Amino acid sequence: MNARIMTASRAPVRQSSVRAHNLALVLRTVANSADRPSRAALSAQTGLTRATVSALVDDLIAGGLLTEHDPAPRTGAGRPAAGLALSPGGPAGLGLEINVDYLAACVLDLTGEVRHRFVAQGDQRNLTPGASLAELGGLALQALEAATADGLAIAGATLAVPGLVAPNGIVRVAPNLDWQDVDAPALLNVLPGLGELPIAVDNEANLAAMGELRAGDGEPTFLYVSGEIGIGAGIVLDGELYRGGRGWSGEIGHVTVFPDGRPCRCGANGCLEQYAGQEAVSADADLAASALGIALAAVVNLLDISVIVLGGAYAPEFPRLRAGIEAELARRVLTAGLAPVTLRAATLGPDAAMRGAAGAVIQQLIDDPAAFLNGTA
């Protein structure tokens, strides 16, 4: 056996790491429970001792992540146990979204409820990145003030953008905004009220897909298609977001549907965005539906995905688009006669990206409560 591997395997596990793991285990168990589990039930479900569970629960309650509810009155022998749930008054997530023709912000509490929502319509294509983000910062500040008045502490923020995002939050390219190598977190952190806020950045379709996964009907594998001025997709496989080798999967808007077609801002011709973007849907919904069906059929044939969710501006247009898309899927998907593809509108509608962005903050809290409790979140 490799000596380096042997050394690593014999390294002691730090007590702080064990505690962090167990805190996350308890909090996730409560978050995923259909009811309000008691401390005894948590012990049985997690395999931790009752004393350990009780100490961890006390820490999570003190940190505002859990709340303990008095049990309902009960007749008969035995004392009913108090139930535990995520605290609606605990730390919250701030979701921010910048798109071609609007800006948005929302506050999501630990239970997933939208506590505050702000949307400002306005074309961002003629603004510099700094100017657009400054306007978004104004919405963010309104959301922060509303959350404070509601007694909520914002643990962090995630920004959804229609473009390719590097792991460090740099927006490498957003063609429809004419952005290239924009350090969005840095530009936001210099704005009033946002200086101390941890800010992550991700593609808007990816965040919308994860928001839909949390809010949807339990389907673990689906293609989420976000239709705005541009078109993006989030690929969810077995409950996990598929990002691709460089983290940039899902650019379905730049799949070619008509090779000799209209020029696209990306430099190619015949891209799906030119025929099925929001403005194209308004001009010719039948052509948009046909183009979408062509592109989606290719994805289904390649990945064998059985559920397609239409979100963003597509959600309210779903009744107009459905028949045309389904006709192309039936004609072009090899397995259509064996297993028809399910096509549905997004549960979260046009708010999916900003809700998914706020939900990413909440998920981080649930996955690593120790970081928050230690003041490092």
Side-chain angles (χ1 to χ4, degrees), residues 133-183:
L133 290 167
E135 288 191 16
L136 181 61
L139 283 189
L141 189 57
Q142 290 182 55
L144 289 170
E145 290 172 346
T148 300
D150 210 14
L152 298 172
I154 299 297
T158 300
L159 169 64
V161 296
L164 304 180
V165 182
N168 60 0
I170 302 293
V171 182
R172 297 302 307 272
V173 60
N176 290 310
L177 291 173
D178 199 23
W179 285 16
Q180 188 166 356
D181 293 328
V182 175
D183 190 343

